[in-house]
Amino acid sequence: MGSAMGQSGSGDDFRSSAQASADRRKAKDRRIIFAHGNSVQVVRIAPWMGFFLLLMVAASAVAVIGSASYLFFRDELFTASIKRQYQIQVAYEDRISDLRREIDRITSRQLLNQQSYEARVERLLTEHVQLYEQGARLNVLLDRAGSLGLVPRPAPPSPVIPPNQQASLGSMVLPAIPDGELITGSVPELPLHRGLSAMERAVADPAGILTNLDGSVQARAHNQLVALAGLALEARGEADVIADQVSALGIRLPRVAPDAPVSAEALSGGEAVGGPLLPARGATDPFDTYAEDALRALQDLEQVRNAVDAVPVLAPARGARLSSRFGNRRDPFTRRTAFHAGIDYAAPRGTPVYAPADGVVTRAARRGGYGLMIELDHEHGLSTRFAHLSRMHVSVGAQVRAGEVSGRIGAAGRSPGARLRGEVRRGTRAVDPMPYVRAGSALADIL
């Protein structure tokens, strides 16, 4: 019995302990009470379930916060990406605009270069035609100079003055002209590859072709100016020499003023004729200025030459020896001092006697001690006599030209042998012929 009571006590204790544990578990449970009207519903939540629910709530919060953060930063990145794309697009459009402006600039430059090229070609063609026309006018002046016995001397080889340093008129030293040419110069060799045809060279370097052609045209135009300046200097120099020699004889020759007007017909060598129509050039055109000065110089030389032809300065007996001078001398017959009104030339009988200047024959007959004598009347109140002739080729009233044969040397009259007596008279008074002889000797290479 005691044993049974002991077992009964042990079982009660176990049930009490289990009940206490269950109560403790129930005390730890969480309850959720749902009340609706008269109904009440209780939901018990175990601790592990509460922990799980708390964990789910925390995970949900973290997910929500993460999602919000992602969306926020994604918007920022998207905005930054859009901004970058916009900047790239703007830069691209700016580059396109720059390229378009560059293309427009290149196109404009090419158009301007083409227009400039065409303008240069047109200008070169115009200058070439003008150069041809100027060459024709220069030939007229050179022909006129040749008719006056004036031959421009070619210059020795040395550089030509550049066109931007034009030679001035007046007392200038003429620069040399390449190859001794006065009008045209050789076209310089083009600095291009050898072996190329003219078309290939033009395509390879059109600007170089134009530059060389322009240089050639400018050089030829400058050579024309140099030729004109040289022609003017030669003509004016000869005219000055003639005038100076004659002025020493007391004779003033007419001259053409440096600023005398020049007609267009005189410049062109005749009446106006057809040809290419060129634009009118200004009054200060260098070629016109030089051409007018050269023409005035030629007209001056021509006028001086025509005037000096009436002054007895040519030698009447060429190659003869001067045997007696003007003034007192010992007479060959009386052996006394006597006045000699002329000069004597010793030369073989029959030597030609030339008229010393243009004139009119006023005497052609025998006259006392003069023997056969010819007297010529010249301008400026001068006359000449030639005596002791063997023959006379002119008659009274005849017009003789300077250098024309008028008679032959002889020994007629009061002469000890074959000789020519020459006298120069101003009015009725005999003057010393030697200044005229010296002037003729000084002008021998010119007249």
Side-chain angles (χ1 to χ4, degrees):
M1 185 159 172
S3 166
M5 289 179 64
Q7 291 177 351
S8 174
S10 296
D12 290 339
D13 290 338
F14 176 75
R15 286 192 292 271
S16 298
S17 178
Q19 184 66 37
S21 297
D23 290 340
R24 284 195 299 272
R25 287 194 300 270
K26 291 179 181 180
K28 291 181 180 180
D29 290 341
R30 297 295 184 265
R31 297 177 182 181
I32 297 176
I33 300 172
F34 297 95
H36 182 64
N38 294 325
S39 64
V40 175
Q41 186 176 1
V42 178
V43 178
R44 291 185 181 90
I45 300 175
W48 65 269
M49 181 62 71
F51 178 77
F52 178 75
L53 291 176
L54 183 61
L55 184 62
M56 290 296 294
V57 171
S60 298
V62 171
V64 170
I65 294 173
S67 299
S69 300
Y70 169 75
L71 293 175
F72 176 76
F73 286 109
R74 188 191 67 174
D75 291 341
E76 289 294 327
L77 292 174
F78 184 72
T79 302
S81 177
I82 292 177
K83 185 177 180 180
R84 184 177 180 184
Q85 291 293 331
Y86 174 75
Q87 292 176 348
I88 293 174
Q89 182 179 0
V90 170
Y92 179 77
E93 292 177 353
D94 291 341
R95 178 59 177 167
I96 293 297
S97 299
D98 292 341
L99 289 176
R100 287 178 178 174
R101 285 194 295 270
E102 183 69 15
I103 291 173
D104 292 340
R105 186 177 64 83
I106 294 175
T107 303
S108 300
R109 181 187 298 174
Q110 289 178 346
L111 181 59
L112 291 176
N113 289 339
Q114 181 179 358
Q115 293 175 349
S116 175
Y117 183 84
E118 293 175 353
R120 289 183 65 184
V121 171
E122 184 176 358
R123 179 178 59 83
L124 282 173
L125 291 176
T126 302
E127 290 180 354
H128 178 74
V129 175
Q130 289 180 350
L131 190 66
Y132 179 80
E133 178 199 12
Q134 292 172 1
R137 294 168 60 188
L138 181 55
N139 285 333
V140 171
L141 295 176
L142 291 176
D143 290 341
R144 186 166 185 173
S147 66
L148 295 174
L150 183 67
V151 180
R153 294 184 293 272
S158 62
V160 178
I161 294 179
N164 58 354
Q165 300 177 7
Q166 293 182 357
S168 59
L169 298 175
S171 57
M172 56 166 279
V173 178
L174 283 179
I177 301 170
D179 302 327
E181 298 174 359
L182 290 176
I183 303 174
T184 59
S186 57
V187 178
E189 183 179 354
L190 302 179
L192 297 175
H193 300 290
R194 295 183 178 180
L196 295 179
S197 65
M199 182 61 68
E200 290 173 338
R201 294 183 180 184
V203 172
D205 188 12
I209 291 288
L210 291 182
T211 300
N212 282 276
L213 290 177
D214 185 63
S216 177
V217 170
Q218 294 299 325
R220 295 187 184 189
H222 180 65
N223 284 353
Q224 288 181 343
L225 298 183
V226 173
L228 289 172
L231 190 61
L233 287 177
E234 290 284 343
R236 191 167 284 114
E238 289 199 3
D240 290 342
V241 170
I242 295 174
D244 291 344
Q245 291 294 330
V246 175
S247 65
L249 304 176
I251 301 173
R252 185 179 180 84
L253 299 181
R255 303 293 298 272
V256 175
D259 57 350
V262 178
S263 64
E265 289 77 10
L267 277 174
S268 61
E271 297 181 356
V273 295
L277 179 62
L278 300 176
R281 291 180 291 184
T284 58
D285 183 84
F287 184 87
D288 288 342
T289 302
Y290 278 62
E292 290 176 4
D293 185 76
L295 180 59
R296 279 190 290 266
L298 290 175
Q299 290 176 340
D300 183 40
L301 177 60
E302 186 175 12
Q303 185 166 305
V304 168
R305 279 180 173 274
N306 291 336
V308 80
D309 283 344
V311 180
V313 293
L314 293 183
R318 300 170 186 173
R321 177 177 59 86
L322 184 64
S323 59
S324 182
R325 294 180 178 271
F326 178 86
N328 294 328
R329 67 166 186 174
R330 185 177 183 182
D331 186 83
F333 292 99
T334 63
R335 302 296 179 181
R336 297 177 182 176
T337 301
F339 180 76
H340 187 228
I343 56 177
D344 292 343
Y345 295 93
R349 184 183 180 91
T351 300
V353 177
Y354 301 95
D358 295 346
V360 180
V361 180
T362 56
R363 292 183 182 179
R366 186 177 295 275
R367 185 183 177 187
Y370 285 98
L372 293 179
M373 185 193 73
I374 296 175
E375 184 172 350
L376 304 176
D377 185 26
H378 310 287
E379 295 181 5
H380 311 290
L382 298 174
S383 61
T384 54
R385 291 180 179 180
F386 300 99
H388 310 311
L389 302 177
S390 61
R391 292 181 60 186
M392 296 182 296
H393 297 294
V394 294
S395 57
V396 176
Q399 296 279 347
V400 295
R401 303 288 298 174
E404 181 179 343
V405 177
S406 302
R408 301 282 175 172
I409 292 179
R414 194 169 180 272
S415 174
R419 65 186 60 205
L420 173 68
R421 177 190 177 102
E423 295 182 6
V424 177
R425 293 180 173 266
R426 186 178 294 273
T428 59
R429 182 175 60 88
V431 296
D432 188 1
M434 287 307 299
Y436 296 87
V437 173
R438 286 191 289 268
S441 299
L443 300 177
D445 294 335
I446 298 177
L447 301 179

